Amino acid sequence: VPQGAMRYGEVLLKRGQPRAAAVQYRAAINMDPDFIPALLALARLSERHDGEQSPLFWLDKAVSRAPRQGLGYYARGLYKVRQGQYELALSDLAKAAELEPTNEDWQYTYAVALENMGRADEAIGHLHSVLQNENNQPRLRQLLQLYRQKYGMNYGM
């Protein structure tokens, strides 16, 4: 099963064997080409250990294999942030947030990215919109309150 190969790859990576870990991640993908965690693991491995493929290769593959899931978009967005490609990252983070509106971490990250890009009004509007639909997200509520105080914007809740 791909999960077993993935777990074994993680063990190998912790033992300092990134090449052997990559073999296991690829084995997981061979068993299930749509197994997104293994694609993302190869992207992380490529980023940290200079793999034979670029991290973006694996991230793009994850998005193309599961275009209706947010995980690939989110991982690709974070990678682009680390690369300093903020505008490109924003579109991936927005897509992840759109696809999985109940994922509090992804909504939070997208709002922070907007605010960091100087688009605080959009960040506040996004948080307000998410909180209207998903009421029980305390971190988002706290972030909205922080932005309201920081920018003096008053959006009704």
Side-chain angles (χ1 to χ4, degrees), residues 90-123:
L90 203 55
S91 66
D92 279 332
L93 296 174
K95 186 68 174 176
E98 172 194 326
L99 288 170
E100 300 196 26
T102 61
N103 188 312
E104 186 176 13
D105 290 335
W106 298 359
Q107 303 306 323
Y108 189 97
T109 302
Y110 177 55
V112 169
L114 283 168
E115 195 267 345
N116 285 339
M117 298 279 301
R119 296 160 62 174
D121 56 338
E122 290 178 60

Short mmCIF file of all heavy atoms in Angstrom, two decimals, residues 90-123:
data_model
loop_
_atom_site.label_atom_id
_atom_site.label_comp_id
_atom_site.label_asym_id
_atom_site.label_seq_id
_atom_site.Cartn_x
_atom_site.Cartn_y
_atom_site.Cartn_z
N LEU A 90 0.16 33.86 -4.03
CA LEU A 90 -1.17 34.30 -3.62
C LEU A 90 -2.27 33.58 -4.40
O LEU A 90 -3.29 33.18 -3.81
CB LEU A 90 -1.29 35.81 -3.81
CG LEU A 90 -2.33 36.53 -2.99
CD1 LEU A 90 -2.16 36.26 -1.51
CD2 LEU A 90 -2.24 38.02 -3.26
N SER A 91 -2.07 33.35 -5.68
CA SER A 91 -3.12 32.68 -6.46
C SER A 91 -3.28 31.23 -6.02
O SER A 91 -4.40 30.72 -5.96
CB SER A 91 -2.84 32.79 -7.96
OG SER A 91 -1.68 32.07 -8.31
N ASP A 92 -2.18 30.55 -5.70
CA ASP A 92 -2.29 29.17 -5.21
C ASP A 92 -2.94 29.13 -3.83
O ASP A 92 -3.77 28.26 -3.56
CB ASP A 92 -0.91 28.50 -5.15
CG ASP A 92 -0.46 27.99 -6.50
OD1 ASP A 92 -1.32 27.65 -7.34
OD2 ASP A 92 0.76 27.90 -6.72
N LEU A 93 -2.55 30.05 -2.96
CA LEU A 93 -3.15 30.08 -1.62
C LEU A 93 -4.64 30.39 -1.70
O LEU A 93 -5.44 29.83 -0.95
CB LEU A 93 -2.41 31.07 -0.73
CG LEU A 93 -0.95 30.73 -0.43
CD1 LEU A 93 -0.28 31.85 0.34
CD2 LEU A 93 -0.82 29.41 0.30
N ALA A 94 -5.00 31.27 -2.63
CA ALA A 94 -6.42 31.61 -2.83
C ALA A 94 -7.19 30.39 -3.31
O ALA A 94 -8.31 30.12 -2.84
CB ALA A 94 -6.56 32.74 -3.83
N LYS A 95 -6.60 29.62 -4.22
CA LYS A 95 -7.28 28.43 -4.75
C LYS A 95 -7.47 27.38 -3.65
O LYS A 95 -8.54 26.78 -3.53
CB LYS A 95 -6.49 27.85 -5.92
CG LYS A 95 -7.17 26.72 -6.62
CD LYS A 95 -8.41 27.21 -7.37
CE LYS A 95 -9.01 26.09 -8.19
NZ LYS A 95 -10.25 26.50 -8.84
N ALA A 96 -6.45 27.19 -2.83
CA ALA A 96 -6.56 26.23 -1.72
C ALA A 96 -7.68 26.67 -0.77
O ALA A 96 -8.50 25.85 -0.35
CB ALA A 96 -5.23 26.12 -0.97
N ALA A 97 -7.70 27.96 -0.44
CA ALA A 97 -8.73 28.48 0.46
C ALA A 97 -10.12 28.33 -0.14
O ALA A 97 -11.07 27.98 0.56
CB ALA A 97 -8.44 29.95 0.78
N GLU A 98 -10.23 28.55 -1.43
CA GLU A 98 -11.52 28.41 -2.12
C GLU A 98 -12.00 26.96 -2.12
O GLU A 98 -13.17 26.68 -1.87
CB GLU A 98 -11.37 28.91 -3.56
CG GLU A 98 -12.57 28.65 -4.44
CD GLU A 98 -12.25 28.86 -5.91
OE1 GLU A 98 -11.44 29.74 -6.24
OE2 GLU A 98 -12.81 28.11 -6.74
N LEU A 99 -11.08 26.04 -2.38
CA LEU A 99 -11.46 24.63 -2.48
C LEU A 99 -11.82 24.01 -1.13
O LEU A 99 -12.60 23.07 -1.08
CB LEU A 99 -10.33 23.82 -3.13
CG LEU A 99 -10.15 24.05 -4.62
CD1 LEU A 99 -8.86 23.38 -5.11
CD2 LEU A 99 -11.35 23.53 -5.40
N GLU A 100 -11.21 24.52 -0.06
CA GLU A 100 -11.46 23.93 1.26
C GLU A 100 -11.73 25.04 2.28
O GLU A 100 -10.88 25.36 3.11
CB GLU A 100 -10.28 23.05 1.65
CG GLU A 100 -10.11 21.93 0.63
CD GLU A 100 -9.26 20.79 1.08
OE1 GLU A 100 -9.15 20.55 2.29
OE2 GLU A 100 -8.69 20.14 0.19
N PRO A 101 -12.92 25.61 2.21
CA PRO A 101 -13.25 26.76 3.06
C PRO A 101 -13.29 26.44 4.56
O PRO A 101 -13.23 27.35 5.37
CB PRO A 101 -14.63 27.21 2.56
CG PRO A 101 -15.19 26.04 1.84
CD PRO A 101 -14.02 25.26 1.31
N THR A 102 -13.38 25.18 4.93
CA THR A 102 -13.41 24.84 6.35
C THR A 102 -12.01 24.62 6.93
O THR A 102 -11.87 24.41 8.13
CB THR A 102 -14.24 23.57 6.61
OG1 THR A 102 -13.66 22.49 5.90
CG2 THR A 102 -15.68 23.79 6.18
N ASN A 103 -10.97 24.69 6.10
CA ASN A 103 -9.61 24.50 6.59
C ASN A 103 -9.12 25.84 7.17
O ASN A 103 -8.73 26.74 6.43
CB ASN A 103 -8.69 24.01 5.48
CG ASN A 103 -7.33 23.63 6.00
OD1 ASN A 103 -6.70 24.37 6.75
ND2 ASN A 103 -6.86 22.46 5.61
N GLU A 104 -9.14 25.93 8.47
CA GLU A 104 -8.81 27.18 9.15
C GLU A 104 -7.37 27.63 8.87
O GLU A 104 -7.12 28.82 8.67
CB GLU A 104 -9.02 27.02 10.66
CG GLU A 104 -8.86 28.31 11.43
CD GLU A 104 -9.17 28.16 12.91
OE1 GLU A 104 -9.28 27.02 13.40
OE2 GLU A 104 -9.31 29.20 13.57
N ASP A 105 -6.45 26.70 8.83
CA ASP A 105 -5.05 27.07 8.57
C ASP A 105 -4.88 27.71 7.20
O ASP A 105 -4.15 28.69 7.04
CB ASP A 105 -4.13 25.84 8.66
CG ASP A 105 -3.99 25.32 10.08
OD1 ASP A 105 -4.18 26.10 11.03
OD2 ASP A 105 -3.68 24.13 10.23
N TRP A 106 -5.55 27.14 6.22
CA TRP A 106 -5.41 27.67 4.87
C TRP A 106 -6.07 29.04 4.73
O TRP A 106 -5.55 29.91 4.03
CB TRP A 106 -5.96 26.69 3.85
CG TRP A 106 -5.21 25.39 3.86
CD1 TRP A 106 -4.14 25.06 4.65
CD2 TRP A 106 -5.48 24.26 3.08
NE1 TRP A 106 -3.74 23.79 4.39
CE2 TRP A 106 -4.55 23.26 3.43
CE3 TRP A 106 -6.44 23.96 2.13
CZ2 TRP A 106 -4.53 22.01 2.83
CZ3 TRP A 106 -6.42 22.71 1.55
CH2 TRP A 106 -5.48 21.75 1.88
N GLN A 107 -7.20 29.23 5.39
CA GLN A 107 -7.86 30.54 5.36
C GLN A 107 -6.97 31.59 6.05
O GLN A 107 -6.83 32.72 5.58
CB GLN A 107 -9.23 30.47 6.05
CG GLN A 107 -10.18 29.45 5.46
CD GLN A 107 -10.39 29.60 3.97
OE1 GLN A 107 -10.45 30.70 3.44
NE2 GLN A 107 -10.52 28.49 3.27
N TYR A 108 -6.39 31.19 7.15
CA TYR A 108 -5.50 32.07 7.92
C TYR A 108 -4.30 32.48 7.07
O TYR A 108 -3.95 33.66 6.96
CB TYR A 108 -5.05 31.34 9.19
CG TYR A 108 -4.31 32.17 10.19
CD1 TYR A 108 -4.97 32.73 11.27
CD2 TYR A 108 -2.95 32.39 10.08
CE1 TYR A 108 -4.30 33.49 12.22
CE2 TYR A 108 -2.26 33.15 11.02
CZ TYR A 108 -2.94 33.69 12.09
OH TYR A 108 -2.26 34.45 13.00
N THR A 109 -3.66 31.49 6.46
CA THR A 109 -2.47 31.75 5.64
C THR A 109 -2.80 32.68 4.48
O THR A 109 -2.05 33.61 4.18
CB THR A 109 -1.88 30.43 5.11
OG1 THR A 109 -1.55 29.60 6.22
CG2 THR A 109 -0.64 30.67 4.27
N TYR A 110 -3.92 32.45 3.83
CA TYR A 110 -4.31 33.30 2.71
C TYR A 110 -4.56 34.74 3.18
O TYR A 110 -4.09 35.69 2.54
CB TYR A 110 -5.55 32.72 2.01
CG TYR A 110 -6.06 33.58 0.88
CD1 TYR A 110 -5.21 33.96 -0.15
CD2 TYR A 110 -7.37 34.03 0.85
CE1 TYR A 110 -5.67 34.76 -1.19
CE2 TYR A 110 -7.83 34.81 -0.19
CZ TYR A 110 -6.97 35.18 -1.21
OH TYR A 110 -7.42 35.98 -2.24
N ALA A 111 -5.24 34.90 4.30
CA ALA A 111 -5.50 36.25 4.81
C ALA A 111 -4.19 36.96 5.17
O ALA A 111 -4.01 38.14 4.86
CB ALA A 111 -6.42 36.18 6.03
N VAL A 112 -3.28 36.25 5.82
CA VAL A 112 -1.98 36.84 6.18
C VAL A 112 -1.20 37.21 4.92
O VAL A 112 -0.57 38.28 4.86
CB VAL A 112 -1.18 35.89 7.09
CG1 VAL A 112 0.26 36.34 7.25
CG2 VAL A 112 -1.85 35.78 8.46
N ALA A 113 -1.25 36.35 3.91
CA ALA A 113 -0.56 36.65 2.65
C ALA A 113 -1.12 37.92 2.01
O ALA A 113 -0.37 38.78 1.55
CB ALA A 113 -0.67 35.47 1.70
N LEU A 114 -2.44 38.04 2.00
CA LEU A 114 -3.06 39.25 1.46
C LEU A 114 -2.59 40.49 2.22
O LEU A 114 -2.19 41.49 1.62
CB LEU A 114 -4.59 39.15 1.54
CG LEU A 114 -5.29 38.30 0.50
CD1 LEU A 114 -6.74 38.08 0.89
CD2 LEU A 114 -5.19 38.93 -0.89
N GLU A 115 -2.63 40.40 3.54
CA GLU A 115 -2.22 41.55 4.37
C GLU A 115 -0.76 41.88 4.14
O GLU A 115 -0.39 43.05 4.01
CB GLU A 115 -2.50 41.23 5.84
CG GLU A 115 -2.46 42.45 6.75
CD GLU A 115 -1.11 42.70 7.39
OE1 GLU A 115 -0.25 41.79 7.37
OE2 GLU A 115 -0.89 43.81 7.89
N ASN A 116 0.08 40.88 4.03
CA ASN A 116 1.51 41.11 3.79
C ASN A 116 1.78 41.75 2.44
O ASN A 116 2.80 42.40 2.26
CB ASN A 116 2.31 39.81 3.91
CG ASN A 116 2.49 39.37 5.34
OD1 ASN A 116 2.39 40.17 6.27
ND2 ASN A 116 2.76 38.09 5.53
N MET A 117 0.88 41.55 1.49
CA MET A 117 1.02 42.13 0.16
C MET A 117 0.42 43.54 0.10
O MET A 117 0.29 44.12 -0.98
CB MET A 117 0.34 41.24 -0.88
CG MET A 117 0.92 39.85 -1.00
SD MET A 117 2.39 39.74 -2.00
CE MET A 117 1.82 40.34 -3.56
N GLY A 118 0.00 44.07 1.25
CA GLY A 118 -0.56 45.41 1.29
C GLY A 118 -2.03 45.45 0.92
O GLY A 118 -2.55 46.50 0.56
N ARG A 119 -2.69 44.33 1.01
CA ARG A 119 -4.10 44.23 0.62
C ARG A 119 -4.95 43.89 1.84
O ARG A 119 -5.73 42.94 1.85
CB ARG A 119 -4.24 43.20 -0.49
CG ARG A 119 -3.50 43.65 -1.76
CD ARG A 119 -3.18 42.55 -2.74
NE ARG A 119 -4.32 41.88 -3.29
CZ ARG A 119 -4.25 40.97 -4.25
NH1 ARG A 119 -3.09 40.63 -4.76
NH2 ARG A 119 -5.33 40.37 -4.69
N ALA A 120 -4.79 44.71 2.88
CA ALA A 120 -5.47 44.46 4.15
C ALA A 120 -6.99 44.47 4.00
O ALA A 120 -7.68 43.67 4.64
CB ALA A 120 -5.04 45.49 5.20
N ASP A 121 -7.50 45.35 3.16
CA ASP A 121 -8.95 45.39 2.98
C ASP A 121 -9.48 44.07 2.43
O ASP A 121 -10.52 43.58 2.85
CB ASP A 121 -9.36 46.57 2.10
CG ASP A 121 -8.69 46.58 0.73
OD1 ASP A 121 -7.61 45.95 0.58
OD2 ASP A 121 -9.23 47.21 -0.19
N GLU A 122 -8.73 43.45 1.51
CA GLU A 122 -9.13 42.15 0.98
C GLU A 122 -9.00 41.06 2.04
O GLU A 122 -9.84 40.15 2.11
CB GLU A 122 -8.29 41.78 -0.23
CG GLU A 122 -8.59 42.61 -1.46
CD GLU A 122 -7.68 42.24 -2.62
OE1 GLU A 122 -7.72 41.06 -3.04
OE2 GLU A 122 -6.95 43.12 -3.10
N ALA A 123 -7.95 41.14 2.86
CA ALA A 123 -7.76 40.16 3.94
C ALA A 123 -8.93 40.23 4.91
O ALA A 123 -9.49 39.19 5.30
CB ALA A 123 -6.45 40.42 4.66
#
